[in-house]
Amino acid sequence: MSVFNRRARLAAALLPLLMLAGCGGHKPERIAVNENQSVVMDAPVLSAGVVADRPDVSRSGLYPTARARVSYGQESRPLTLHYRFLWYDAKGLDILPHEQARSVTLQPGQEIVLQTRSGDDRAQQVRLYLYL
């Protein structure tokens, strides 16, 4: 076996180890929950004419509360909307277990406020997920 072949094999064996070593550097302090993605809607929700405000988080006492205003357009029939609030801690990590999904039936032209309270005192950020 030539010197070139041995070096090529050695390089091929060491390359994955060097790549892994490079991944051990600086770790972010937190995973940011993008404020532009604090409301996530499936495409059918958007096309049905549902509009939702970004959830507002307030804290009175130990546990935070999230509220979001949701309105339904001037469609011709009621719409059953399913939703779930997802809570995150200060580092942006999921707080488990996730809340159960809930449903509400919206009448054409109706505006409501969806609300939830976290059962975990670490909760600081929230995302609202809407689907049909």
Side-chain angles (χ1 to χ4, degrees), residues 82-112:
H82 305 283
Y83 66 97
R84 173 179 285 173
F85 285 92
L86 305 168
W87 288 97
Y88 302 90
D89 67 12
K91 292 184 177 184
L93 301 174
D94 283 277
I95 293 182
L96 299 173
H98 291 296
E99 293 183 6
Q100 293 281 8
R102 297 183 232 171
S103 300
V104 63
T105 299
L106 298 170
Q107 300 301 320
Q110 184 178 11
E111 180 177 292
I112 63 169

Side-chain angles (χ1 to χ4, degrees), residues 5-102:
N5 284 340
R6 276 188 252 148
R7 286 186 181 165
R9 286 185 181 181
L10 180 62
L14 289 177
L15 183 61
L17 294 175
L18 292 171
M19 290 175 66
L20 284 174
C23 294
H26 174 72
K27 293 182 182 176
E29 291 296 315
R30 63 189 293 270
I31 301 168
V33 174
N34 186 335
E35 287 187 16
N36 293 327
Q37 295 177 342
S38 59
V39 176
V40 177
M41 291 189 241
D42 283 353
V45 175
L46 288 169
S47 62
V50 174
V51 176
D53 291 346
R54 189 171 83 220
D56 176 48
V57 177
S58 62
R59 190 177 289 270
S60 61
L62 188 58
Y63 303 111
T65 299
R67 291 177 186 83
R69 186 176 28 234
V70 175
S71 60
Y72 178 45
Q74 299 297 325
E75 301 299 318
S76 61
R77 61 180 193 255
L79 174 78
T80 300
L81 181 67
H82 305 283
Y83 66 97
R84 173 179 285 173
F85 285 92
L86 305 168
W87 288 97
Y88 302 90
D89 67 12
K91 292 184 177 184
L93 301 174
D94 283 277
I95 293 182
L96 299 173
H98 291 296
E99 293 183 6
Q100 293 281 8
R102 297 183 232 171

